[in-house]
Each structure stands twice: as C-alpha cells, then as structure tokens.
Amino acid sequence: AQRRCGPATSRVRSPLRSHRTPADPAGNPTHLDPSVGSVGDAYDNALAESTIGLFKTELIKPHGTWRTCDQVEIATLEYVDWYNHRRLHSGAADLPPAAFEALYDPTEHRLTQPATQPI
C-alpha cells in the first residue's frame, strides 16, 4: 500500500546550535556534529534554504500535485543523483559536483588539473 505524506510520516529536525558535544536530555552524548554556523548566525541556514529553494523550483513545483510520499522520495533520489553527477555547475568549472570533487587532491589540499577537457 502506498503511504500518504502527512503529520504522521513527517519529521522536522532543528539544526543543532551548540559548539559543545550535543547531548540528549539525560546528558548522554549523541555523537552528532554541531551546526556549521555559530549561535545567532545564518551561514548554515542560508545554504540549506538556497538548496531547498532550488529543489522546490526545479523538481517539486513543476510536477504539480504529488499523490504519495513514495513518489516524492523516488523523484528526490533521482534529482539528487542528477544534481551531483550530471548537472553542470558554473562555480565548479562547468563540471558536475562529483567530477569536480574527484579533482581535489587531499594530500596536496588543492585541485588537480583534469586529464581531458569536458565535452
């Protein structure tokens, strides 16, 4: 049976806003990384909001009405694959993010030159 999206299946999690090791209400460490930004700034929120806005503009809104969560989940997985492996990004030398990231040499802490020019 297909499930419908709604309050029973939705989970909204707030970003962590602490530079301390996050803990549950009992004080036990949760082993989660804290938020990228510091308390009171919007660096991580701006990136998230920009990405979500792009996702909605390119995938969610053009489709119209989504009937089930399964439809949205499958479309989202396909979108993320396209976004990371085929979509050209001007800020990444007109390469997909995965190809651009592959050029990074962690031992040198810099980008290497591609062997061939992208088509």
Side-chain angles (χ1 to χ4, degrees):
Q2 292 182 335
R3 58 193 166 104
R4 293 205 170 269
C5 298
T9 61
S10 299
R11 290 186 184 173
V12 177
R13 296 183 182 170
S14 300
L16 299 172
R17 298 253 178 238
S18 172
H19 288 282
R20 295 174 286 145
T21 301
D24 66 15
N28 302 313
T30 60
H31 305 290
L32 298 174
D33 292 330
S35 177
V36 176
S38 58
V39 175
D41 71 32
Y43 295 121
D44 54 347
N45 286 343
L47 176 60
E49 288 178 18
S50 176
T51 303
I52 290 169
L54 188 61
F55 170 74
K56 287 180 177 180
T57 299
E58 292 183 340
L59 178 69
I60 299 299
K61 291 177 183 174
H63 183 276
T65 302
W66 295 87
R67 297 191 184 278
T68 66
C69 284
D70 290 339
Q71 287 179 330
V72 176
E73 287 176 2
I74 291 169
T76 299
L77 292 172
E78 291 170 347
Y79 175 82
V80 169
D81 179 69
W82 168 80
Y83 190 92
N84 288 329
H85 297 281
R86 288 178 294 287
R87 184 175 197 251
L88 304 181
H89 290 262
S90 61
D94 289 327
L95 294 170
F100 189 74
E101 185 177 336
L103 296 175
Y104 181 74
D105 182 351
T107 61
E108 298 288 328
H109 300 289
R110 65 180 177 85
L111 292 176
T112 60
Q113 295 296 319
T116 58
Q117 293 295 322
I119 298 174

